[in-house]
Amino acid sequence: ISFVLVSGYLVFVMQCGFCMLTAGSVRTKNTKNVLLKVLMDACVGAIAYYITGFAFAFGTSSNSFIGHSDFCLAGTDASLYYLWFFEYTFAATCATIVSGSVAERTSFYAYMAYAFFLTAFVYPVATHWIWSSTGWISVFNPDSFSHGLIDFAGDICVHSIGGWAGLLGAIVVGPRTGRFDSDGNVVPMPGHSASLSTLGTFILWFGWYGFNPGSALAIMYSPTDSTTIFTISRCAVTSTLAPAVAGVTTLFIVKVKDHIFDLIAVLNGTLAGLVVITGSCAVATPYMAVVLGFLSAFVYVGMSVLTLKLRIDDPLDAFPLHGGVGGFGALAVGFVAEPNSMKDAGFDPNHCGVIYGCNGSLLLANFVGLITVIAWTVGLMAPVFLCLKFFGVLRLPLEDELIGNDISKHGGVAYPEDGVETANKVGAKDLADMRDNLGMDDSVKRPAEGEADANQAPVEFASNV
């Protein structure tokens, strides 16, 4: 239990990584907005998962489609509270993926609405199918379809759901104003801080060591049974090799394509390596982790180019990373699941990947499971986004978008430095009126309007950075 809780703490820290990555990837005028949205993912996600999410996913009374007990943890044995916390952190991660796709132009109220729906119903039902012992395509259900799919830490459950929901949101809300010109050409809108994006990527990578190894849900070691610790160790190794190879591969792909060493692209490429290994981290060999990391870089870059060709504005490349690479990683399990690793992880070694001579039942299960979850996500989230758009609450008004969320909705800019120019233009008169002790002493005679004090120097403001 302690191992799972600590792993959950690491996954929760990933929200800090999302904060930094998202903030660094948007313009300064929307920094507060995206930070608050990530915070609300953690808060709203906890409430939603408490009320219905855990019940739908892991309720003790259930059928092959959905759980139907333990709402608000009523009747849930205290010995399972650790599982609620661990699974909640995954649900919050799934919701946070969406925030990157719709950043800088989406209504705050609309964001909270669909984040609640995603974590209260869409995500939990899909995880019931795959991770519950009664799910219709769960490898833990002896009567499941094609012996069940394997999605060890969530290429389908987390990344595909979040990625496809984000894609729908980006399509329905539309691109940021000015993102494409009249001919459909891309207009660059770089984020304001590569430093924050880099810090966020490292925090996410660190959190992934709770995400992937923690999905073993137990840790034990004895001279007669060391398989669990072997599985956890394998997860740590594969979760290091795949992103490392993906990052280096992306570096050279973009160098060949754009003739620059692009930091932001490499950060996303590294994340692609983490995503691709999520589903197979416990059952892939280190060598296969290297192969998957290499291939994931090409999948990410290709999907990123494709979304822009289709004039889909995804500020953080959330769909290419999580929807595209996540789907590729889910299918890859059906190829790379190695028999001995499967046995160590508690799976049937005869239900292995096709490159090891198995009959393809795992590949079929993962393919059907992926397509079904995508259809489930699209079928439920599309009406939500379209309804929000129909009622005019999905997108910000144009004037609010242009001035930025921080000023129009959140009381001011995120950085004091950003206020220098604004203060010079707007605040000069107010500060001039407060010459005497910030305006507390009204006994000092002020010059009449239009008068100039010959001895008074012009009011100027200089940045302290």
Side-chain angles (χ1 to χ4, degrees):
I1 290 177
S2 297
F3 168 72
V4 177
L5 285 173
V6 172
S7 297
Y9 303 152
L10 290 177
V11 179
F12 187 82
V13 168
M14 291 176 75
Q15 296 295 332
C16 298
F18 281 119
C19 277
M20 298 299 99
L21 178 64
T22 308
S25 300
V26 301
R27 291 164 292 177
T28 55
K29 64 183 181 180
N30 294 305
T31 305
K32 279 185 177 179
N33 178 259
V34 296
L35 292 174
L36 184 56
K37 284 180 176 177
V38 175
L39 176 60
M40 286 299 100
D41 283 327
C43 297
V44 172
I47 296 169
Y49 208 71
Y50 166 69
I51 296 173
T52 62
F54 185 76
F56 289 147
F58 299 104
T60 52
S61 298
S62 64
N63 52 44
S64 61
F65 179 78
I66 194 171
H68 48 81
S69 66
D70 300 84
F71 295 97
C72 297
L73 294 180
T76 304
D77 192 279
S79 64
L80 294 177
Y81 285 177
Y82 80 97
L83 181 62
W84 178 91
F85 173 74
F86 185 73
E87 297 297 341
Y88 145 70
T89 61
F90 277 58
T93 299
C94 180
T96 304
I97 291 170
V98 184
S99 66
S101 295
V102 297
E104 298 202 277
R105 75 272 201 199
T106 307
S107 161
F108 187 72
Y109 294 115
Y111 183 81
M112 288 198 294
Y114 63 71
F116 184 92
F117 181 63
L118 187 71
T119 50
F121 185 68
V122 179
Y123 170 84
V125 174
T127 56
H128 176 80
W129 299 345
I130 295 171
W131 287 337
S132 168
S133 60
T134 59
W136 66 272
I137 200 166
S138 170
V139 73
F140 307 110
N141 181 357
D143 300 320
S144 64
F145 173 81
S146 193
H147 306 292
L149 67 78
I150 292 176
D151 185 26
F152 192 78
D155 261 337
I156 298 176
C157 290
V158 178
H159 297 293
S160 292
I161 293 176
W164 280 90
L167 175 67
L168 285 170
I171 292 173
V172 176
V173 75
R176 290 168 289 179
T177 301
R179 182 62 167 124
F180 303 98
D181 65 20
S182 58
D183 296 323
N185 299 313
V186 178
V187 177
M189 287 187 175
H192 80 277
S193 176
S195 300
L196 287 179
S197 295
T198 304
L199 175 62
T201 300
F202 273 111
I203 293 174
L204 287 171
W205 192 345
F206 177 69
W208 236 286
Y209 290 122
F211 205 92
N212 287 358
S215 292
L217 296 181
I219 185 168
M220 52 188 169
Y221 179 82
S222 70
T224 58
D225 183 10
S226 56
T227 55
T228 303
I229 195 67
F230 288 169
T231 296
I232 293 169
S233 300
R234 184 177 295 108
C235 289
V237 171
T238 55
S239 299
T240 301
L241 290 174
V245 173
V248 173
T249 305
T250 304
L251 177 74
F252 288 105
I253 292 174
V254 176
K255 175 61 175 176
V256 171
K257 183 172 74 75
D258 298 330
H259 310 293
I260 59 171
F261 292 118
D262 190 336
L263 170 64
I264 302 303
V266 175
L267 295 178
N268 284 335
T270 303
L271 293 174
L274 289 164
V275 170
V276 78
I277 202 63
T278 296
S280 59
C281 57
V283 297
T285 63
Y287 171 78
M288 282 301 172
V290 170
V291 173
L292 290 180
F294 177 77
L295 294 176
S296 70
F298 289 90
V299 175
Y300 160 65
V301 173
M303 293 297 293
S304 180
V305 171
L306 178 61
T307 54
L308 289 176
K309 288 288 186 183
L310 297 174
R311 299 184 67 177
I312 298 171
D313 183 17
D314 188 341
L316 272 82
D317 270 349
F319 175 73
L321 276 173
H322 301 280
V325 177
F328 171 72
L331 295 178
V333 179
F335 291 93
V336 305
E338 190 264 335
N340 290 329
S341 302
M342 293 276 287
K343 184 178 179 181
D344 287 345
F347 302 123
D348 180 2
N350 297 314
H351 188 49
C352 64
V354 293
I355 66 173
Y356 294 100
C358 289
N359 60 12
S361 61
L362 177 59
L363 178 60
L364 175 62
N366 275 46
F367 173 77
V368 171
L370 175 64
I371 297 302
T372 304
V373 168
I374 291 173
W376 170 257
T377 304
V378 172
L380 290 177
M381 294 304 296
V384 171
F385 286 119
L386 290 171
C387 285
L388 291 170
K389 182 176 182 179
F390 177 79
F391 289 106
V393 295
L394 179 60
R395 186 168 184 132
L396 287 172
L398 177 60
E399 58 272 20
D400 288 349
E401 181 185 352
L402 292 177
I403 195 173
N405 280 280
D406 291 359
I407 292 176
S408 64
K409 300 296 182 182
H410 303 296
V413 295
Y415 304 105
E417 298 91 326
D418 290 350
V420 172
E421 184 177 354
T422 301
N424 276 321
K425 295 179 179 179
V426 179
K429 181 178 181 300
D430 293 337
L431 292 178
D433 287 343
M434 293 189 292
R435 293 183 188 123
D436 183 56
N437 195 24
L438 295 178
M440 298 300 292
D441 185 357
D442 293 332
S443 65
V444 178
K445 184 178 182 303
R446 300 180 179 180
E449 187 174 354
E451 269 187 17
D453 187 341
N455 297 319
Q456 176 71 37
V459 179
E460 296 180 355
F461 305 92
S463 174
N464 59 359
V465 294

